[in-house]
């Protein structure tokens, strides 16, 4: 089974590798083809331009020399055999032909060999081309013959026509283009091999990441490993690893929640059940019956409060419409919370000092009733552990409202600090272990956060931070 899964994974990996390599190869071929066509056009334009420039220069040189000669000196003798043109003929470029015609368009001289059977007054033959008949020169002069590049210069005796076959330029361009194609092919091969290496470097982390995601799918969060990779793939792998850690922690917390919830519910239920059975069976008589009923009522109230807190936590985690945010004054809420815990403060003979800094007020957006409950939970917790006093300080800075509640008690045990706001986490004198968890859920729904630490001088400090409605 494992071998089959491994084989399937390898086949999918190869399939993905081939798809990427095929796409890259096709893109590379397309780019090189377009580049080759563009280079071909650029080279042809360059060579034709250079050849035309050379024909113009050569035509100007020959024309300047011929204008000094009498008309009779230019006979039907080819230029290369005419003793009057040794220097001019030497300047002709390789592959450039020259034709001199009179005023009537008859060829009187040139670098072209004579064609057998043609009268001296008819046109000569172009090397490698069929014989030019009389009148064919007109197509050269008009530029309508695509086989040649032509330069025509006027002479007192007639016209000087220079021409060179385009096929010669194409041969030179194609020879250079072939060399460039060989260079391109070698570069493409190197790039393709490099792409194979890069593709495997990219695909291997993705295949490994796919395996880790399967572990997440199968809820094996603790077995998920961090895949080492660079770039965006590395970021995704890091996110998957952190997500698996959070899911593992959440799964563990959920299990602990059910275990703790069952334990917290079991204790009052056992008390209620035990005293109810004792009263029913007549074990308790007289005053004991009344005391048993008081215990049943007390445990029922505790059970009701516990179920209410658990229900509130569940609603805060899942229901959006339970939280109705309005603009409210945190200073006003704080005063109301202090009034409500005054009996607890008086019972333990504690002093409470409140200090609010700044004149802008502590205005924020929150569900007023639920934020009041969060404050009551924190203040009640401080009153439970304080020795003599509780200090509250609130201020606004950089768009944040900060509220600190500190006491002079023994502080928070170090082992409880990381999980203090988790459900059913409570200290030595704690109640249900849900108060601070509810406070954190409410504060986070308000867009804020709550943290806890110990003072170096002793005692615990709980800090609220909220975005200011005024900022």
């Amino acid at each position: 089974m494992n071998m089959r899964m491994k084989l399937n994974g390898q086949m999918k990996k190869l399939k993905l590798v081939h798809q990427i390599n095929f796409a890259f190869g096709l893109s590379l071929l397309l780019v090189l083809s377009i580049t080759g066509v563009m280079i071909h056009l650029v080279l042809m334009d360059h060579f034709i331009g250079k050849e035309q420039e050379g024909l113009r220069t050569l035509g100007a040189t020959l024309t300047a020399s011929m204008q000094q000669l009498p008309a009779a000196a230019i006979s039907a003798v080819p230029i290369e055999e005419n003793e009057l043109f040794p220097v001019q003929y030497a300047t002709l470029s390789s592959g450039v032909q020259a034709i001199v015609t009179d005023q009537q368009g008859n060829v009187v001289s040139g670098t072209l060999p004579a064609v057998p059977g043609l009268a001296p007054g008819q046109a000569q033959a172009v090397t490698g081309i069929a014989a030019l008949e009389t009148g064919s020169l007109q197509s050269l002069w008009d530029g309508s013959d695509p086989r040649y590049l032509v330069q025509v210069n006027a002479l007192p005796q007639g016209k000087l026509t220079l021409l060179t076959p385009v096929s010669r330029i194409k041969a030179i361009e194609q020879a250079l283009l072939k060399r460039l194609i060989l260079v391109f092919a070698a570069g493409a091969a190197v790039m393709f091999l490099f792409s194979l290496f890069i593709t495997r470097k990219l695909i291997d982390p993705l295949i490994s990441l796919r395996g880790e995601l399967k572990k997440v799918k199968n809820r094996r969060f603790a077995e998920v490993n961090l895949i080492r990779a660079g770039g965006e793939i590395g970021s995704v792998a890091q996110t998957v690893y952190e997500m698996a850690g959070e899911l593992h922690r959440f799964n563990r917390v959920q299990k602990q929640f059910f275990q703790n919830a069952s334990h917290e519910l079991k204790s009052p239920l056992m008390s209620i059940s035990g005293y109810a059975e004792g009263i029913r069976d007549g074990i308790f008589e007289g005053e004991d019956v009344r005391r048993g009923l008081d215990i049943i009522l007390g445990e029922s109230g505790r059970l009701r409060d516990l179920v209410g807190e658990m229900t509130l936590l569940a609603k805060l985690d899942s229901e959006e419409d339970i939280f109705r945010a309005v603009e409210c004054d945190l200073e006003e809420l704080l005063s109301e919370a202090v009034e409500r815990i005054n009996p607890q403060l008086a019972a333990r003979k504690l002093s409470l000092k409140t200090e609010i800094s700044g004149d802008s007020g502590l205005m924020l957006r929150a569900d007023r009733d639920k934020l009041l409950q969060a404050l009551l939970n924190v203040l009640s917790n401080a009153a439970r552990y304080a020795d003599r006093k509780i200090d509250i300080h609130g201020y606004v800075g950089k768009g944040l409202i900060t509220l600190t509640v500190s006491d002079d008690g023994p502080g928070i045990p170090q082992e409880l600090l990381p999980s203090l706001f988790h459900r059913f986490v409570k200290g030595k004198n704690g109640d249900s272990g849900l108060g601070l968890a509810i406070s954190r859920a409410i504060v986070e729904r308000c867009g804020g956060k709550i943290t806890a630490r110990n003072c170096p001088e002793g005692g615990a400090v709980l800090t609220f931070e909220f975005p200011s409605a005024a900022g």
Side-chain angles (χ1 to χ4, degrees):
M1 185 67 179
N2 291 335
M3 183 62 69
R4 182 182 300 175
M5 291 178 63
K6 185 175 181 181
L7 183 60
N8 289 337
Q10 289 295 328
M11 290 179 64
K12 290 180 180 178
K13 172 183 175 181
L14 291 174
K15 183 178 179 182
L16 184 57
V17 169
H18 291 329
Q19 288 175 349
I20 294 177
N21 288 333
F22 175 76
F24 179 79
L26 189 62
S27 302
L28 185 62
L29 179 63
L30 181 62
V31 170
L32 290 179
S33 300
I34 295 174
T35 304
V37 171
M38 293 181 65
I39 290 178
H40 165 70
L41 296 175
V42 170
L43 286 176
M44 282 298 296
D45 288 343
H46 175 74
F47 286 143
I48 289 175
K50 284 292 184 182
E51 192 69 23
Q52 287 177 335
E53 183 181 351
L55 287 176
R56 284 193 296 270
T57 303
L58 183 60
T61 303
L62 290 174
T63 299
S65 299
M66 290 181 178
Q67 285 177 346
Q68 308 298 323
L69 300 174
I74 306 175
S75 64
V77 179
I79 289 177
E80 62 268 29
E81 298 178 7
N82 195 320
E83 60 182 7
L84 297 175
F85 304 122
V87 177
Q88 288 78 2
Y89 177 69
T91 62
L92 291 176
S93 301
S94 175
V96 178
Q97 306 292 344
I99 301 174
V100 180
T101 55
D102 58 18
Q103 297 292 344
Q104 290 73 36
N106 297 317
V107 176
V108 296
S109 184
T111 61
L112 306 177
V115 178
L118 289 179
Q122 291 180 312
Q124 304 297 308
V126 179
T127 305
I129 307 296
L132 288 171
E133 298 179 356
T134 304
S136 297
L137 286 174
Q138 189 63 41
S139 64
L140 293 176
W141 294 336
D142 295 342
S144 58
D145 192 338
R147 297 173 297 171
Y148 302 98
L149 294 179
V150 179
Q151 173 65 33
V152 180
N153 293 84
L155 296 171
Q157 304 88 347
K159 290 182 180 179
L160 169 65
T161 303
L162 300 178
L163 68 157
T164 183
V166 175
S167 59
R168 184 178 65 86
I169 299 175
K170 287 184 177 179
I172 297 173
E173 182 269 335
Q174 288 176 358
L176 181 58
L177 185 61
K178 287 178 182 178
R179 290 181 173 86
L180 288 176
I181 289 175
L182 289 177
V183 174
F184 281 173
V190 173
M191 290 179 65
F192 189 74
L193 292 176
F194 183 69
S195 75
L196 292 177
F197 172 75
I198 294 298
T199 301
R200 290 191 175 275
K201 293 288 287 184
L202 293 175
I203 295 301
D204 286 342
L206 284 176
I207 298 300
S208 302
L209 187 59
R210 178 174 172 270
E212 301 306 316
L213 286 172
K214 280 188 174 181
K215 295 178 184 178
V216 174
K217 177 184 176 182
N218 296 328
R219 303 178 67 84
R220 292 154 44 203
F221 308 124
E223 300 178 15
V224 175
N225 299 313
L226 176 60
I227 303 301
R228 302 292 181 182
E232 285 75 10
I233 297 178
S235 299
V236 172
Q238 182 68 34
T239 302
V240 169
Y241 180 73
E242 292 173 357
M243 177 187 68
E246 285 296 313
L247 289 173
H248 178 62
R249 186 193 66 78
F250 180 78
N251 197 36
R252 187 177 67 251
V253 167
Q254 286 293 94
K255 291 179 180 178
Q256 291 177 351
F257 170 76
F258 287 117
Q259 292 172 358
N260 293 332
S262 62
H263 174 74
E264 292 293 332
L265 294 173
K266 185 177 180 181
S267 298
L269 285 174
M270 287 180 62
S271 298
I272 293 171
S273 175
Y275 278 100
E277 289 177 358
I279 294 172
R280 183 196 63 186
D281 296 338
I283 297 175
F284 300 111
E285 296 179 354
E287 189 63 28
D288 291 338
V289 172
R290 182 176 179 82
R291 188 166 57 250
L293 292 173
D294 290 339
I295 292 176
I296 289 174
L297 288 174
E299 292 297 322
S300 297
R302 181 186 169 202
L303 190 60
R304 181 187 64 247
D305 294 341
L306 186 59
V307 171
E309 289 179 338
M310 292 170 59
T311 303
L312 177 59
L313 264 178
K315 288 182 178 180
L316 288 171
D317 287 342
S318 59
E319 296 183 17
E320 292 293 332
D321 57 354
I322 192 178
F323 200 84
R324 297 176 177 85
V326 295
E327 191 168 306
C328 54
D329 189 347
L330 183 59
E331 185 176 358
E332 180 185 331
L333 285 176
L334 190 58
S335 299
E336 186 175 344
V338 171
E339 289 179 5
R340 293 198 183 188
I341 67 161
N342 266 331
Q344 189 176 355
L345 296 175
R348 299 201 61 231
K349 298 179 180 179
L350 298 174
S351 64
L352 189 146
K353 179 183 177 183
T354 302
E355 180 183 355
I356 303 299
S357 302
D359 301 327
S360 58
L362 306 181
M363 301 302 297
L364 54 82
R365 288 190 60 80
D367 188 311
R368 189 181 188 283
D369 293 336
K370 292 181 177 57
L371 184 54
L372 177 60
Q373 183 175 353
L375 293 173
L376 283 171
N377 290 344
V378 172
L379 291 176
S380 297
N381 196 68
R384 186 179 297 115
Y385 293 101
D387 287 337
R388 294 182 302 275
K389 64 177 182 175
I390 299 174
D391 292 322
I392 301 174
H393 183 208
Y395 59 93
V396 181
K398 297 182 180 179
L400 286 178
I401 295 175
T402 304
L403 182 71
T404 60
V405 179
S406 58
D407 61 67
D408 60 349
I412 304 168
Q414 289 296 325
E415 64 273 13
L416 290 184
L417 270 176
S419 57
L420 183 65
F421 296 100
H422 294 175
R423 300 169 186 181
F424 297 108
V425 175
K426 57 183 179 180
K428 182 178 179 181
N429 300 322
D431 189 9
S432 65
L434 293 175
L436 292 182
I438 291 173
S439 296
R440 183 186 70 169
I442 292 173
V443 170
E444 289 177 352
R445 289 293 292 270
C446 294
K449 68 176 181 178
I450 181 172
T451 56
R453 61 182 176 86
N454 287 320
C455 277
E457 301 83 9
V461 179
L462 272 73
T463 303
F464 298 82
E465 288 185 349
F466 302 98
S468 174

